Amino acid sequence: MNVRVLRIELKRSVAPWAGAVVLTTALAFLYLIPGSWWTGTTAWTAQWTSMALWTRSVLFYLWPLAVGLGALQGLRDHRSKMSELLTSTPRPARHRAATLAGATAITLASAFSLLVLVGAVQVVANTDYTHLGWLPISLVGALSLVAGAALGMGAGRALPSVLTPPALAMGAFVFTALMQMSLGRTETTTATGLPSTEPNRVSLLSPAVQEVRDALVTLSVSVHVGQTIWLFAMAATGFALLVAATPRARLLSLTPVLAGAVIALLVLPSDPRRIYVVDKSAAELVCDGPVCVTKTQQARLADLAGPGKDALRLLRGALGSQAPVSVRENTAVLQEGSTPQWSRTTVLFDFDDDIVAAAKGEELTRALIAKGMVPGCTPVGWSGFGGDEFAQTVVVGWVLGDLRPLPGTLSARFRREVESEIRPVWKKLKALPRAEQLSRINAMRAAALSCKGDAFAALSGGASR
């Protein structure tokens, strides 16, 4: 296929429109619809891996679009009533198929590359951590659009009906939706008895990925290999259907996609913990004395080091030998719905935590003291406001001698109601002898760090369990 032939094909086909539709709808989704891809350390323009995964996540509807547009392209000869004429020419069918598929493949791959480029330009400005581990994620995403369009073209040629493109697009959309919601997920129960779901190997047959929950998580190598096998098999079936001239040849054309699905399922990991894995390089710690962050957040270490050291000094003055000795960004990636795990000797924090994200300077010192005393026991991936947040405010006031709301926790609407709960407990605690105060603080820390008791009840003198 030379450049002149390709240029002609681009002018007379829907390939340029397919690329334009994919690019514009993806950008509209990411920029105009508010969601978790806008904010925090997992924003689609914050880190390279997050950008690659978020652009893959929109394939839940981009891929069905590619399949449907490919089917529309495959109907072109039938609509123009040239099928018999073209079969009588000496030019091999595979040459015509290569021209047709090549034009669409180039435009769709270019559209997805431009989408990635838009995100990449912003990622460069937002992080100092650069790596190439994100590249396979994006390459598989581009391949999925090409393979989907090829399959659609082959199906459109084999089933020349006006209903074929919408039916294929809807069927592909139902497939991606089911992979994300039910068929592609396995029900599990966490250690605390809470119900949860995890992706299984079947879900990896969909080109889309789940929402990004942690900036340190990436797809494993076996996922890339298995999906690549599956997508190449899908593209092979699409191309074979494009050149098939008899019913038997069309039936044989299904062999690659069926064989590819079987091989891919053998390669794809069966253990959910081997699907989304921690990027060890990204999770490597960068430290300034006792204060450490991951490589992904190394640009924020300078602003964190001073408040972190101040928080450790104040905790040591309040708790003595029982105080934590270091501050570290939390790198543990736990199953959604599981109970967080904390340390007595290390203040573990997350930049996406409400009070840490909203704090700067002196307020960041207060936030780190709160995380060192009451790190929070809300199940992973859940949100809530209650006893832990009340206890955090009281103990920070106890350490600093100044009761104030923590940053990012209270709106003006709820401040008066919450203060009516907190202030009596703080006054009662401060009125006790020092030894009794320490006793209640230690009981509160035991409940807060183990997540097996009520930290706020322990402060008020009630049962901590």
Side-chain angles (χ1 to χ4, degrees), residues 422-443:
I422 292 173
R423 191 165 292 276
V425 175
W426 184 71
K427 288 181 177 179
K428 185 178 178 181
L429 179 66
K430 294 291 287 185
L432 295 172
R434 179 67 180 178
E436 180 62 24
Q437 290 182 31
L438 282 173
S439 176
R440 290 197 181 185
I441 291 295
N442 288 332

Side-chain angles (χ1 to χ4, degrees), residues 2 15 55 82 108 200 214 272 276 302 306 354 359 362 385 390 410 438 441 447 461:
N2 58 42
T55 51
M82 294 177 57
L108 288 177
N200 56 39
D214 196 301
Y276 293 92
D354 289 341
E362 181 186 346
F385 187 87
F390 295 168
L410 296 178
L438 282 173
I441 291 295

